[in-house]
Amino acid sequence: MKLSRPVSWFLLVFGVWSWVIWVTFVKNLVKDSSGLAFDDGHPTAYFWVHLLLAVVSFVWGTVIGVIGLRGLRALRRNS
């Protein structure tokens, strides 16, 4: 399957965006002082669920970004 240039760029940008957003979220999650993420210094279910969401998003963002990058490289080789 051959990806178009706009689709490849979209996938690559989505992958990068996913990393930027979720890294920021994890940093804020770790610093949380509202009591949602930590209860007396121990991680709560809220923390674990959101950390799992972040890890899954890192994986999917990486996969999607790599597909976009490979699409752009293939287009460059064929030009």
Side-chain angles (χ1 to χ4, degrees):
M1 183 171 134
K2 195 172 187 181
L3 298 174
S4 68
R5 189 173 311 281
V7 170
S8 295
W9 272 109
F10 174 79
L11 294 175
L12 180 60
V13 169
F14 178 86
V16 171
W17 176 82
S18 181
W19 269 87
V20 169
I21 293 301
W22 284 101
V23 165
T24 303
F25 181 82
V26 169
K27 284 181 183 177
N28 291 335
L29 183 65
V30 169
K31 293 179 190 175
D32 180 59
S33 61
S34 70
L36 284 173
F38 297 97
D39 186 22
D40 292 327
H42 301 309
T44 63
Y46 176 90
F47 174 84
W48 292 116
V49 167
H50 286 83
L51 185 61
L52 177 64
L53 287 172
V55 169
V56 169
S57 294
F58 289 144
V59 171
W60 278 108
T62 300
V63 169
I64 291 169
V66 167
I67 291 170
L69 182 62
R70 291 177 84 184
L72 288 172
R73 286 183 176 169
L75 287 168
R76 190 177 332 155
R77 274 192 305 257
N78 294 333
S79 296

